[in-house]
């Protein structure tokens, strides 16, 4: 019985590794990505694909220049396109069906390893994030979270208090639909501040964007809105979605904290 389980798990891991790629964006190290469609569409994190023309390395060693077709730093999602053949797209499943305690798997490229595999259990499942007790490291960002059948249910994005946080697959689908969103015009990377809150580190700013207008700088950490600190990676996107006029954004710059009032400026995509 155990031998059969091991064989089946090994087969699932091998399939997921074929659908996992390395994403390199300049000199910022290596992250992960998932082959979403056989035509060369790859999904990763926005904080992984900071360059507009990153490179993608497939599991068979082939390397391709990629074009960034969709980019949403607030959701920490990016879509890349490569011109390649013989791709192995992941099987995508509905993350809403995941149950607490269910076995989940992850494949990525942590700390220079190729296609590293780990597994754990679902800790909680929300519309905004799937949280699991997986052991992930730098380089796993942008890789897949999959169910026990090897179907991708999310994109791993960060670790909070020792737990892995993944963007649910249904949010990726909505992201690819290209629905207009209020954009700040920044690339953000989640960073843990303490056990109860997290921040969003500003990695880059789009010229002429809302962020540039209000004076945000690279290295600033966005920590909350209207006195409420961020506790989940999508909190900022949620506030922007539900506020139509302006929001007071709390910012940490070095040892100083201050508030900037952000007024809406419609933009479909920040690039």
């Amino acid at each position: 019985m155990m031998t059969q389980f091991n064989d089946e798990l090994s087969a699932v891991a091998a399939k997921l590794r074929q659908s996992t790629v390395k994403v390199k964006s300049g000199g910022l190290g290596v992250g992960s990505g998932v082959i979403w469609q056989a035509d060369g569409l790859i999904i990763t994190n926005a904080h992984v694909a900071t360059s507009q023309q990153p490179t993608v390395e497939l599991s068979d060693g082939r390397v391709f220049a990629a074009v960034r077709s969709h980019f949403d730093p607030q959701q920490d999602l990016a879509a890349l396109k490569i011109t390649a053949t013989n791709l192995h797209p992941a099987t995508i499943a509905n993350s809403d069906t995941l149950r607490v305690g269910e076995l989940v798997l992850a494949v990525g490229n942590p700390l220079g390893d190729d296609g590293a595999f780990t597994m754990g259990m679902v800790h909680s499942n929300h519309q905004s994030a799937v949280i699991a007790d997986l052991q992930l490291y730098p380089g796993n960002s942008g890789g897949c979270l999959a169910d026990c059948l090897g179907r991708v249910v999310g994109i791993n994005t960060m670790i909070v208090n020792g737990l892995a946080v993944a963007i649910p697959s249904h949010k990726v689908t909505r992201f690819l639909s290209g629905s207009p969103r209020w954009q700040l015009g920044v690339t953000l990377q989640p960073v843990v501040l303490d056990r109860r809150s997290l921040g969003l580190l500003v990695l880059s700013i789009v010229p002429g964007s809302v962020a540039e207008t209000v004076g945000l700088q690279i290295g600033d950490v966005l920590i909350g809105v209207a006195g409420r600190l961020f506790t989940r990676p999508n909190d900022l996107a949620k506030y922007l979605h539900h506020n139509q006029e302006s929001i007071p954004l709390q910012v940490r710059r070095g040892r100083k904290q201050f508030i900037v009032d952000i007024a809406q400026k419609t933009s479909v995509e920040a690039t």
Side-chain angles (χ1 to χ4, degrees):
M1 189 70 173
M2 184 58 69
T3 299
Q4 180 181 354
F5 173 77
N6 288 337
D7 290 344
E8 292 176 354
L9 191 61
S10 180
V12 168
K15 181 180 178 181
L16 288 172
R17 293 182 72 181
Q18 287 185 317
S19 302
T20 300
V21 303
K22 286 183 178 179
V23 179
K24 300 180 182 179
S25 233
L28 297 178
V30 178
S32 303
V34 179
I35 301 174
W36 210 257
Q37 295 176 3
D39 62 359
L41 177 66
I42 292 165
I43 298 296
T44 185
N45 289 144
H47 78 261
V48 171
T50 53
S51 168
Q52 292 192 24
Q53 294 183 312
T55 59
V56 169
E57 181 179 337
L58 304 183
S59 61
D60 61 12
R62 288 183 290 164
V63 178
F64 297 87
V67 175
R68 203 172 62 183
S69 61
H70 296 69
F71 189 63
D72 190 338
Q74 290 161 204
Q75 295 189 88
D76 200 16
L77 286 172
L80 310 178
K81 286 284 290 185
I82 63 173
T83 303
T85 58
N86 299 323
L87 297 183
H88 299 276
T91 300
I92 313 302
N94 185 356
S95 53
D96 290 340
T97 63
L98 284 177
R99 299 165 295 177
V100 172
E102 187 171 341
L103 181 69
V104 284
L105 319 168
V107 174
N109 306 295
L111 305 176
D113 288 341
D114 294 344
F117 177 81
T118 186
M119 65 179 180
M121 290 187 294
V122 176
H123 184 270
S124 59
N125 186 13
H126 310 280
Q127 284 293 312
S128 59
V130 179
I131 301 175
D133 64 343
L134 286 166
Q135 191 171 16
L136 301 182
Y137 296 96
N140 273 116
S141 292
C144 67
L145 180 74
D147 63 16
C148 60
L149 298 178
R151 302 174 302 182
V152 173
V153 291
I155 299 295
N156 292 313
T157 185
M158 66 180 299
I159 290 287
V160 177
N161 297 331
L163 296 173
V165 179
I167 302 165
S169 56
H170 69 82
K171 292 193 69 175
V172 179
T173 301
R174 191 181 311 143
F175 159 72
L176 291 172
S177 71
S179 301
R181 292 170 51 83
W182 182 2
Q183 297 287 345
L184 290 182
V186 291
T187 300
L188 301 172
Q189 179 175 1
V191 291
V192 177
L193 299 179
D194 55 46
R195 292 186 60 85
R196 293 181 298 174
S197 62
L198 58 86
L200 301 171
L201 174 65
V202 177
L203 298 180
S204 66
I205 298 175
V206 177
S209 65
V210 173
E212 184 180 63
T213 301
V214 300
L216 289 179
Q217 299 178 7
I218 293 174
D220 286 347
V221 179
L222 314 184
I223 61 174
V225 169
R228 291 173 290 183
L229 298 180
F230 297 143
T231 59
R232 295 178 181 174
N234 75 315
D235 279 350
L236 176 59
K238 181 174 62 176
Y239 288 125
L240 292 176
H241 176 74
H242 291 294
N243 288 273
Q244 299 302 316
E245 296 181 357
S246 65
I247 59 172
L249 181 64
Q250 296 165 244
V251 182
R252 178 182 295 176
R253 180 177 295 165
R255 296 182 179 180
K256 297 181 179 180
Q257 292 189 22
F258 56 94
I259 294 175
V260 294
D261 287 318
I262 297 177
Q264 181 171 1
K265 178 179 178 180
T266 303
S267 172
V268 174
E269 180 180 347
T271 57

